[in-house]
Amino acid sequence: MLQVYTGTGKGKTTAALGVAFRGAGYDLKTTMFSFLKDDPNYGEARAASILPGFVLKQVGRDEFVNFYDPDPIDLQMVRDGWELAKKAIADREADIFILDELNIVLATKMLSTEEVVEFLGQHKDEVEIILTGRGAPMEIMNIADLVTDMKEVKHYFSKSVGSRNGIDH
């Protein structure tokens, strides 16, 4: 099935990682492609080697991405990451695939929504595919089997509490 976690609230990636954690309890393999992220200090990157059957592929760079005028290297990394993800999904290299931050990649037109919808539509009944990130396009939500819109009601960032290791990243 195709699951989508989107919205302005915290917890989209965390929800996807929860599915991977549960899957590990049943010997399911998970491959996570982290678009727009390449920080080895993220909690998921640090924990990847200790969760059985979990593989993390960071396919972005650890730099600010200007979504209004993306650097050509960011566009190329998104394209390369998408090609890797497509191959892994088509080859059924895992039971669960997490395409982290792909929604924002699509919302900002760094990758063709039409192309992604076509591919996912062909493969969503073969493996579990989870998309995270703000701004999931309607075309993605229309083909999804589950859509969760995380809505921010209150966040400690508004109290100037910074991002905390192991909790927020």
Side-chain angles (χ1 to χ4, degrees):
M1 297 214 182
L2 177 61
Q3 300 184 31
V4 175
Y5 297 101
T6 193
T8 59
K10 181 180 176 340
K12 296 173 285 293
T13 299
T14 304
L17 289 168
V19 174
F21 182 77
R22 281 186 170 167
Y26 285 92
D27 297 320
L28 298 179
K29 295 178 181 173
T30 299
T31 299
M32 178 174 174
F33 292 88
S34 288
F35 291 86
L36 310 176
K37 295 179 182 176
D38 186 26
D39 186 342
N41 289 314
Y42 273 28
E44 57 265 34
R46 294 169 62 111
S49 65
I50 61 172
L51 184 62
F54 185 85
V55 174
L56 174 64
K57 298 182 180 188
Q58 293 180 312
V59 294
R61 63 184 178 130
D62 189 27
E63 301 283 333
F64 173 78
V65 176
N66 180 348
F67 294 119
Y68 300 105
D69 185 22
D71 190 292
I73 193 163
D74 292 315
L75 294 172
Q76 188 61 54
M77 291 182 88
V78 162
R79 170 54 57 191
D80 293 346
W82 172 240
E83 293 301 325
L84 285 172
K86 284 187 348 185
K87 182 177 182 338
I89 291 168
D91 292 347
R92 297 185 187 169
E93 293 177 6
D95 305 293
I96 301 166
F97 292 92
I98 300 170
L99 306 179
D100 189 40
E101 303 297 351
L102 189 64
N103 292 333
I104 190 73
V105 165
L106 297 175
T108 58
K109 310 228 183 299
M110 293 179 72
L111 195 59
S112 162
T113 297
E114 181 179 304
E115 174 187 347
V116 173
V117 165
E118 181 180 338
F119 178 83
L120 295 178
Q122 294 170 1
H123 295 279
K124 73 183 188 92
D125 296 328
E126 300 166 1
V127 293
E128 201 74 16
I129 303 171
I130 303 170
L131 276 58
T132 71
R134 294 173 181 238
M138 189 56 66
E139 298 91 336
I140 290 289
M141 292 193 287
N142 287 341
I143 67 162
D145 300 291
L146 177 147
V147 176
T148 299
D149 186 356
M150 309 268 189
K151 178 183 168 192
E152 183 177 317
V153 175
K154 186 177 188 180
H155 200 302
Y156 43 80
F157 284 178
S158 65
K159 295 181 183 179
S160 298
V161 174
S163 183
R164 299 170 298 151
N165 292 338
I167 305 298
D168 300 304
H169 66 85

